[in-house]
Amino acid sequence: MLIKKFSHIGITDVSTVGGKNASLGEMYNQLLPKGVHIPNGFASTSTAFWNFLKENDIQRALENIISRLDRNQYTNLNLIGTLARNLILESEFSKEFSNALIRAYKELCDNGELAVAVRSSATAEDLPDASFAGQHDTFLNVKGELELLGAVKKCFSSLYTDRAIKYREDKGFNHKDVALSVGVQLMVRSDKSCSGVGFTIEPESGFENIVLLSGVWGLGENIVQGIVNPDEFYVFKPSIKKDMYPIIQKKLGDKKLTMVYASEKEKETTLNIDTPLKQQEQYVLTDNEIITLAKWALLIEEHYQKPMDIEWAKDGITKELFITQARPETVHHTKNKNIHVEYQLLKEGKLLVKGDAVGSKIKIGYPVLLNSPNEAGPLTKESIIVTDTITPDWDPLLKKVGGIITNKGGRTSHAAIVARELGVPAIVGCGNATEEIVNGEIITMSCAQGKIGYIYRGELPFKERKIDFTEIHLPKTEAKMILADPENAFQLSFYPNNGIGLLRMEFIITHSVQIHPMALVKFEEIKDSKVKNRIMQLTSQYTNRADYFVDKLAEGIAVIAAAFYPKEVIVRLSDFKTNEYANLIGGSDFEPYEENPMLGFRGASRYYSDLYKDGFALECTAIKKVREKMGLTNLKVMVPFCRTVEEGKKVLTVMEENGLKRTENGLEVYTMIEIPSNVILAEEFAKIFDGFSIGSNDLTQLTLGIDRDSEIMGKLFDENDEAAKRMISMAIKSAKKSNIKIGLCGQAPSDFPEFAKFLIQEGIDSISFNPDALLQGIKNINKAEQQKVTFGTAESSK
C-alpha cells in the first residue's frame, strides 16, 4: 500500500508511516471522538519510499555516498548530504505513486485545491530516546497537484539533511534501515491567527503536574526555530481535573515577527512580517483557549501514558483550535529523577546578559560568535556558541560545543529542545547577547539560579555535587524549605521535603510586581510623572491597575504552591520595612520616614492602618485567588511581627473583610513568634491562630537588644545565646500546652548540629531551611532524633 488515510492509521503503524504520522492517525481515530480537534490528512508509506529507491535504482548509490562519510570529524558532512539529497531530487516518482498522491489529495480537498502542510516522518522517528525533532523538512501552504508532488520529493530528500545524517550517526541508527513517510494534512490558517507548542511536563525540571504552552502570532515555525520570543502559559494539572482555574502563570513574549503565507508571486511559500505593536503587547490566546489546549494535552498524555510534546494551531478564519502534532517527550520521562547534580555559583561577577535558562548546569568557556553554522571553524567542548537564533541546520555543530547562547527564542524553541536532549546548557532569548559578549573572551554561563540564566564576564568559581535522593530519609520532625523565588520552585520540589514553612512574598513583589500597591490604588496621588509613566507601561494590559498587583502576586505564590502541592505551603504576609516599601515604584509617595524601620511600621500593624489597608486588601485578594479560584488550598497564611493579641484580632478581622476567613475552606492562619511578647503571651496568641513559626533572627535580636544588621554589634548576635534559647523553649512548651503546631525558620539548625539537637529535644514540630542548607539540616535532625532515641532508651533502662 502506497497511501494510508489518517482514519486507517494507528500508533502500531510506526514502521509503515513513522512516529509523527502514526501519532496523528492515532489521535484522529481515538481522540477526535473525545473532542480533540485534529486536521484530517493522509500519509505515504515506507513501501512507497522503498519502491521509489528501487524504481530509480539509487539504494546502492546512496549507501556508497554515505560510506564515504568522515565519521571522526565529519569534515565532509555537507558534501555527503548534498550528494545524497541531489540523487533523490533528480529521481522520478512512478506514475502509480504520483496518481495515488493526487487521488488522496483530491479526496482530502473534496475535489478542490486546498492548502496543505506536507511533513516528513521517519519510520524510526520519535522513539523514547530519539525525538528526530527538526531533523527533516516540513513544507507549509502547499497548494495544487504539482506543488504537492514537489514537496513530497523534497521531504524524501530531507532524510539526508546534514543534521539528520549526523543525528542517526549519534543515535546508532543504520541509514539504510530508515525510510521516509510523508504526512499531508489540511492546513490550519494560523497565518491569520496564532500557533505554538506545548509540553505535558515542565521541560526544564521534569515537574509532571504542569502543562507548558508557548505561542506566537502566525505560523509555528517562528517558535520552533526560535526566531521570536513567545508567550508562555503554565497550567496546573490538578486544577484542571478539579475544574478550577488552572493557569498559574502567564508570561508575555515580544513576538516581534509574524510568519504568514507568501503571495503566489513570491518564490518562498512563507515570509516573516513585523508584528503590529498592539499584537506584541497582547497574549495570543484567551484564558478559555489556554484551558482548552491544556485539557487536550492532558487527554493526549493520558492516552499515550507518557509525557508528550505537542504542536497546536488556531485557524484565523474559523477561530478553531487544532492539535497538529504530538510526540513523546524525550528528555525527562526516561531520566532517573532521584539522581540530581547540583551546581552552585560561589561568586557572582560582572553580569553581561541574561535570558531563559535551559538545564541547570554552570559552564565556563570561550564564546564563538556566529551568524550562521557555515562560519564555524574548529569547535570543542570549551566553545560556547553565541548567535541570534538557531535552526535545525545548526544541529551538527551543537553536538560539539559546551554551551549555547541566543538572542531569540524561548524554552520551547528548537535550540532549547536540542540542548536538553544533548545535556548542553543553553541560555536563550537574551535579546542582545551578540552585542554584549566579546568573541573569545572567557565567560561563565549559569543555568543554576532558576529559570533565568546569567552570563558573567570571566571565569567564576562554582561547585557541583551529585545527590542520590533515595539515600536521604526524611526525619520524624518535618523538614521544610524557606523559599522566595518562584523560578526555582519546580526544580526544588524534587528535594526531600515536607513542604514550605516560609514563603517570602517580598521577593515576588520586588521582582515581579515591582510597584507599591498603594501607588496602584491611589495612582492619581503620585507626584512624579516619570513614575506614573512607568506604572502605566507595566500595567498597560489592565483597565483596573490594582488587578495587575493581584495577578502578578497570585502567579508567583501559585507557582510555589503548585510545585509542592499537596504539601503545606505557608505564605507570610508582606514584611517589608518602610524604607524597603519606599524603594518600590511609586513607594516614596506613600511611606513615612522612620529612624528605625526595623522596629517601626512593619508587619501586622500595617494591615489595618489607613496608610496601607487598601494595599493589604490586594494581598488578601491575591491569596484568595490562589486558594479559591485556582484550588491550591494547601496554601496557608502567616502574620508577621504581630505585637499584641489585640493586633492579631484586628488583622484577622481585616482578612475576613477581604475574603480570607480563618477555618473557611480549610484556611489556617499562623503567626510568627519573633517578639518577646509573642513568647510571654503565647497561650493567648494560640487562641486566635492555628500555629506558630519561630523567626529566630528577630527573636534573638529583640531578646538581646542587638540590631542584627549592625556591623559594630554583629559579633554579639548569637541564636545559641542561652536567653534566646530559653525564649524558644518557652514558646515550644506553650504551643504544646495549647495543642497547636510550632516550627522554626532559620539557618542555625543547619549550621550548628547542637542547635538542631536542642530543638528536637524541646519537641519542635518542624524546621524550615534555605534550599542550600536543607540537606545538611535533614542530616542534623536525623542525628539529633537518633541521639534522643538512644538517650531515652538509656534513661528508661536505669
Side-chain angles (χ1 to χ4, degrees):
M1 185 179 291
L2 303 178
I3 301 291
K4 291 188 80 168
K5 297 178 184 177
F6 281 0
S7 57
H8 296 151
I9 293 173
I11 199 60
T12 57
D13 293 312
V14 172
S15 62
T16 305
V17 294
K20 191 180 294 179
N21 289 331
S23 178
L24 282 168
E26 178 78 6
M27 290 193 296
Y28 186 84
N29 290 294
Q30 302 298 324
L31 297 178
L32 192 63
K34 294 183 179 180
V36 181
H37 296 180
I38 313 291
N40 197 6
F42 62 89
S44 66
T45 65
S46 56
T47 300
F49 182 78
W50 297 128
N51 285 355
F52 169 75
L53 298 186
K54 187 177 180 181
E55 288 157 0
N56 288 278
D57 194 23
I58 58 173
Q59 177 69 63
R60 183 65 61 83
L62 282 171
E63 291 175 19
N64 288 338
I65 291 171
I66 293 296
S67 70
R68 288 149 47 195
L69 180 65
D70 170 13
R71 286 181 164 85
N72 292 318
Q73 299 296 323
Y74 294 94
T75 53
N76 63 347
L77 177 61
N78 182 260
L79 173 64
I80 296 299
T82 300
L83 290 172
R85 292 192 298 275
N86 286 343
L87 189 61
I88 291 174
L89 290 171
E90 289 164 3
S91 300
E92 298 293 332
F93 288 160
S94 67
K95 187 170 285 188
E96 180 187 11
F97 182 45
S98 296
N99 289 340
L101 283 170
I102 291 167
R103 275 197 307 273
Y105 174 66
K106 284 184 174 179
E107 189 175 336
L108 180 66
C109 300
D110 286 331
N111 289 318
E113 283 195 346
L114 300 178
V116 291
V118 181
R119 307 179 189 277
S120 304
S121 180
T123 57
E125 196 168 7
D126 297 330
L127 297 178
D129 62 342
S131 73
F132 280 78
Q135 304 304 316
H136 310 108
D137 290 341
T138 290
F139 299 93
L140 305 175
N141 193 30
V142 174
K143 191 174 181 181
E145 297 171 10
L146 288 177
E147 275 195 35
L148 173 67
L149 294 174
V152 171
K153 190 183 288 186
K154 287 176 185 174
C155 283
F156 276 10
S157 74
S158 76
L159 187 62
Y160 290 94
T161 59
D162 299 356
R163 57 189 183 268
I165 294 169
K166 184 67 166 60
Y167 191 90
R168 290 194 295 273
E169 288 285 323
D170 292 338
K171 292 294 180 181
F173 291 114
N174 195 324
H175 299 279
K176 67 178 182 179
D177 293 339
V178 182
L180 203 293
S181 164
V182 179
V184 179
Q185 191 177 26
L186 284 173
M187 197 75 205
V188 179
R189 294 303 303 268
S190 57
D191 63 309
K192 294 182 177 293
S193 185
C194 58
S195 57
V197 300
F199 291 90
T200 64
I201 190 171
E202 202 279 315
E204 296 313 321
S205 64
F207 183 73
E208 293 181 358
N209 264 346
I210 286 292
V211 174
L212 171 62
L213 299 169
S214 300
V216 294
W217 295 115
L219 304 174
E221 289 303 294
N222 275 347
I223 195 170
V224 175
Q225 295 182 14
I227 293 171
V228 299
N229 297 322
D231 293 341
E232 291 183 346
F233 311 103
Y234 291 80
V235 189
F236 189 51
K237 292 177 185 176
S239 294
I240 297 175
K241 293 171 182 175
K242 290 193 291 186
D243 207 24
M244 308 290 281
Y245 180 80
I247 306 167
I248 61 171
Q249 192 173 50
K250 300 197 308 191
K251 293 186 175 181
L252 188 70
D254 58 33
K255 310 178 295 293
K256 288 185 176 179
L257 294 172
T258 300
M259 187 176 284
V260 297
Y261 295 156
S263 65
E264 292 181 6
K265 297 175 184 177
E266 305 283 346
K267 289 183 179 179
E268 301 294 330
T269 55
T270 61
L271 57 93
N272 259 326
I273 60 172
D274 292 333
T275 305
L277 186 61
K278 187 177 179 182
Q279 278 190 296
Q280 289 183 39
E281 296 173 348
Q282 177 186 340
Y283 288 114
V284 297
L285 293 169
T286 65
D287 283 2
N288 285 338
E289 288 169 337
I290 295 165
I291 294 167
T292 295
L293 284 172
K295 285 180 176 178
W296 289 356
L298 263 187
L299 285 171
I300 294 167
E301 180 180 61
E302 287 165 4
H303 179 77
Y304 286 105
Q305 291 293 297
K306 62 182 68 172
M308 298 295 287
D309 167 1
I310 66 172
E311 294 183 17
W312 61 268
K314 181 181 177 182
D315 194 299
I317 299 171
T318 66
K319 309 303 179 188
E320 285 182 282
L321 289 167
F322 291 91
I323 300 294
T324 56
Q325 280 192 52
R327 61 177 73 86
E329 190 274 343
T330 58
V331 176
H332 290 288
H333 83 275
T334 55
K335 197 173 175 182
N336 184 350
K337 292 186 175 64
N338 289 317
I339 303 296
H340 177 69
V341 181
E342 183 179 79
Y343 292 79
Q344 184 182 357
L345 198 64
L346 300 176
K347 177 186 173 185
E348 291 189 6
K350 166 68 176 174
L351 179 65
L352 297 175
V353 71
K354 60 184 178 180
D356 290 335
V358 178
S360 59
K361 294 180 180 179
I362 294 174
K363 177 66 183 176
I364 295 169
Y366 297 91
V368 180
L369 271 65
L370 299 173
N371 293 311
S372 81
N374 298 327
E375 294 179 354
L379 296 169
T380 70
K381 288 299 179 182
E382 302 310 309
S383 304
I384 297 173
I385 284 179
V386 183
T387 189
D388 191 52
T389 187
I390 279 177
T391 61
D393 294 333
W394 290 77
D395 288 3
L397 292 186
L398 305 186
K399 297 173 175 69
K400 300 177 181 179
V401 300
I404 303 162
I405 298 170
T406 67
N407 290 337
K408 298 172 182 173
R411 299 180 203 285
T412 50
S413 64
H414 180 75
I417 291 169
V418 173
R420 283 187 207 103
E421 190 169 301
L422 295 174
V424 173
I427 300 177
V428 299
C430 297
N432 59 343
T434 51
E435 297 170 20
E436 299 297 327
I437 296 172
V438 177
N439 194 58
E441 184 179 276
I442 195 165
I443 58 172
T444 300
M445 58 184 296
S446 171
C447 298
Q449 294 160 267
K451 286 192 280 188
I452 305 298
Y454 300 89
I455 296 131
Y456 302 98
R457 176 178 293 145
E459 182 175 347
L460 300 180
F462 71 94
K463 67 177 181 180
E464 64 177 278
R465 60 170 175 160
K466 191 175 183 180
I467 307 166
D468 184 348
F469 290 146
T470 61
E471 296 177 357
I472 299 169
H473 304 287
L474 282 170
K476 193 174 178 182
T477 306
E478 290 187 333
K480 297 180 178 176
M481 271 191 257
I482 301 168
L483 203 54
D485 186 359
E487 301 293 324
N488 296 315
F490 295 132
Q491 186 67 56
L492 290 172
S493 71
F494 292 103
Y495 280 60
N497 71 86
N498 295 111
I500 302 297
L502 172 59
L503 192 174
R504 293 190 178 111
M505 70 162 65
E506 295 82 20
F507 184 94
I508 300 168
I509 293 172
T510 301
H511 291 83
S512 183
V513 179
Q514 302 178 57
I515 305 170
H516 194 291
M518 295 301 292
L520 295 166
V521 174
K522 297 186 176 182
F523 178 73
E524 298 307 323
E525 294 183 18
I526 297 171
K527 302 178 182 69
D528 190 331
S529 60
K530 289 182 180 177
V531 171
K532 277 191 166 184
N533 288 336
R534 179 65 179 140
I535 292 173
M536 285 192 289
Q537 184 183 12
L538 287 170
T539 61
S540 61
Q541 294 186 46
Y542 291 82
T543 51
N544 179 2
R545 291 188 180 89
D547 289 342
Y548 165 85
F549 184 96
V550 171
D551 284 356
K552 292 295 181 185
L553 180 57
E555 285 180 2
I557 294 171
V559 167
I560 296 175
F564 291 87
Y565 182 87
K567 297 173 186 174
E568 178 180 79
V569 173
I570 303 173
V571 59
R572 184 180 67 189
L573 298 167
S574 66
D575 192 27
F576 285 121
K577 287 74 176 175
T578 47
N579 58 321
E580 294 167 336
Y581 269 115
N583 287 331
L584 296 171
I585 298 171
S588 59
D589 286 325
F590 301 97
E591 292 296 328
Y593 172 77
E594 295 183 295
E595 288 290 345
N596 189 355
M598 183 74 80
L599 296 178
F601 187 47
R602 63 174 284 203
S605 60
R606 297 182 65 92
Y607 308 148
Y608 56 86
S609 166
D610 288 339
L611 292 176
Y612 188 73
K613 67 180 182 182
D614 290 339
F616 180 64
L618 302 185
E619 291 184 35
C620 292
T621 304
I623 292 169
K624 183 180 180 183
K625 179 179 179 180
V626 174
R627 282 181 49 82
E628 298 182 14
K629 189 176 179 182
M630 297 178 180
L632 291 159
T633 51
N634 61 320
L635 186 70
K636 300 179 180 182
V637 178
M638 185 150 65
V639 179
F641 224 78
C642 187
R643 293 172 170 93
T644 68
V645 176
E646 282 306 308
E647 188 166 65
K649 290 176 181 177
K650 285 182 182 179
V651 171
L652 290 171
T653 299
V654 175
M655 286 176 63
E656 187 174 333
E657 288 170 357
N658 288 294
L660 290 179
K661 183 178 181 180
R662 183 177 162 232
T663 73
E664 199 169 90
N665 198 19
L667 175 63
E668 292 184 16
V669 183
Y670 283 43
T671 191
M672 298 286 292
I673 300 290
E674 50 194 341
I675 308 169
S677 63
N678 300 145
V679 178
I680 295 165
L681 296 177
E683 291 178 39
E684 297 302 311
F685 279 100
K687 292 175 183 176
I688 64 170
F689 290 110
D690 298 292
F692 294 154
S693 179
I694 300 168
S696 57
N697 285 337
D698 268 342
L699 185 59
T700 299
Q701 76 168 342
L702 293 174
T703 298
L704 298 178
I706 293 172
D707 178 358
R708 59 189 166 105
D709 292 334
S710 168
E711 292 180 15
I712 300 170
M713 301 300 294
K715 291 179 182 177
L716 288 175
F717 180 87
D718 183 9
E719 291 160 296
N720 276 299
D721 185 274
E722 186 59 29
K725 288 171 75 173
R726 284 195 190 185
M727 280 287 187
I728 291 170
S729 179
M730 288 167 61
I732 294 172
K733 285 181 173 65
S734 294
K736 295 296 176 185
K737 186 177 177 181
S738 302
N739 198 30
I740 69 170
K741 283 187 174 183
I742 185 165
L744 180 139
C745 301
Q747 194 71 15
S750 61
D751 289 347
F752 308 110
E754 287 303 310
F755 195 85
K757 182 180 177 181
F758 155 70
L759 293 173
I760 300 306
Q761 288 175 341
E762 292 297 321
I764 198 90
D765 293 309
S766 67
I767 304 176
S768 299
F769 304 93
N770 288 314
D772 62 351
L774 175 68
L775 300 182
Q776 182 60 46
I778 289 173
K779 185 177 178 180
N780 290 350
I781 295 174
N782 276 322
K783 185 178 179 182
E785 287 184 348
Q786 184 60 41
Q787 289 173 339
K788 185 178 181 182
V789 169
T790 304
F791 178 76
T793 304
E795 285 290 300
S796 63
S797 66
K798 286 181 182 180

